[in-house]
Amino acid sequence: MFLYFSYLCPDGYEQRHHLHSQDIEEIHLDTLNCFIAFGFVLQSAYLIDEQGCRTHLPLEAFDGWPMAHHLQKLQEQYQGALIS
């Protein structure tokens, strides 16, 4: 799976990057939060899986704070909904 993202540097230049991993985990998404915490402005973020499907990530979800806790809560709610 690939994580593609672009951001504006404080000096106004746009940078584009991508990460590849067998599985995208919280630590990979927290990379985006690190950029924001240092004053960069996220322009786009999306995942592309092995089948080529693109999933756009909501930029407002990245606020500069680690998201592991939020993802764990979301997973618990999702699992609870499946059991119900």
Side-chain angles (χ1 to χ4, degrees), residues 11-78:
D11 59 9
Y13 289 103
E14 183 178 22
Q15 295 288 320
R16 297 172 189 242
H17 296 280
H18 68 273
L19 299 171
H20 177 260
S21 181
Q22 187 68 26
D23 296 308
I24 298 294
E25 299 176 4
E26 294 92 17
I27 190 70
H28 300 108
L29 298 176
D30 275 340
T31 300
L32 302 178
N33 279 318
C34 288
F35 281 103
I36 291 170
F38 283 104
F40 298 91
V41 178
L42 193 60
Q43 296 293 298
S44 68
Y46 57 92
L47 300 169
I48 296 184
D49 65 18
E50 288 75 22
Q51 291 77 35
C53 294
R54 179 185 287 211
T55 303
H56 289 275
L57 301 175
L59 301 182
E60 61 274 4
F62 301 97
D63 58 5
W65 294 94
M67 65 174 36
H69 173 74
H70 299 294
L71 288 175
Q72 182 180 7
K73 288 290 188 190
L74 181 62
Q75 182 178 12
E76 290 170 3
Q77 291 173 351
Y78 179 74

